[in-house]
Amino acid sequence: MRYISGALALGAALVLGSLATTAQAADAPVHNSIRTGGLYAPTELVMTVGQGETRATATVERAVTLSCMPGATGSHPNPKAACAQLRSASGDFAKVTGTGTERMCTKIWNPVVVTADGVWEGRRVSYTYTYPNSCMMDAAQQSVFRF
């Protein structure tokens, strides 16, 4: 009789112990290791300026990072102006790399290549533009590649 009651007590203890462990596991918070990014679509860019005719042959002279969401940050010297210019162009780099002044520049061919790679508002971006020379790049009056 003593063995039967001991076996019943042991069985009850095991059942109650497993129920308590299951209840604690169900109440434990779930940690999700995937970063959702919050309310904003990700905007993270790496931009370069280099000497050369194409992206493949250019020697990179300067490179910066730019993040526009939720705030303008990065190693870009003026991230707020660069993000504002990109927002006004809806992230279209072709709209910010054209020439926009009457500045006089020489016709010397000394190409400068600018690139932008990363994500703009959740959309993958890979952009390259070649200016004829640094004077033409400076004359474009844009903040995005002014670093």
Side-chain angles (χ1 to χ4, degrees):
M1 184 80 156
R2 187 169 48 162
Y3 295 113
I4 293 175
S5 62
L8 287 175
L10 178 63
L14 288 174
V15 169
L16 290 176
S18 66
L19 288 176
T21 305
T22 306
Q24 287 175 352
D27 292 341
V30 177
H31 296 286
N32 202 353
S33 63
I34 299 172
R35 184 175 168 209
T36 61
L39 300 173
Y40 305 101
T43 297
E44 303 283 337
L45 300 165
V46 175
M47 297 180 295
T48 65
V49 174
Q51 286 293 138
E53 292 188 18
T54 66
R55 176 190 283 254
T57 61
T59 302
V60 175
E61 295 176 339
R62 298 179 302 276
V64 296
T65 59
L66 180 66
S67 176
C68 295
M69 289 295 184
T73 60
S75 62
H76 193 286
N78 194 351
K80 288 182 182 180
C83 288
Q85 188 174 27
L86 281 170
R87 276 191 205 99
S88 69
S90 300
D92 185 359
F93 284 89
K95 291 181 181 177
V96 299
T97 52
T99 57
T101 67
E102 300 297 319
R103 182 174 174 181
M104 299 293 285
C105 291
T106 62
K107 300 285 183 178
I108 296 173
W109 180 250
N110 189 16
V112 177
V113 175
V114 295
T115 66
D117 291 293
V119 178
W120 174 262
E121 295 182 351
R123 189 179 81 240
R124 176 81 175 99
V125 174
S126 183
Y127 180 77
T128 304
Y129 186 82
T130 304
Y131 289 99
N133 55 48
S134 59
C135 178
M136 296 295 285
M137 185 178 94
D138 292 340
Q141 286 190 344
Q142 42 80 21
S143 300
V144 177
F145 292 103
R146 188 159 290 158
F147 53 85

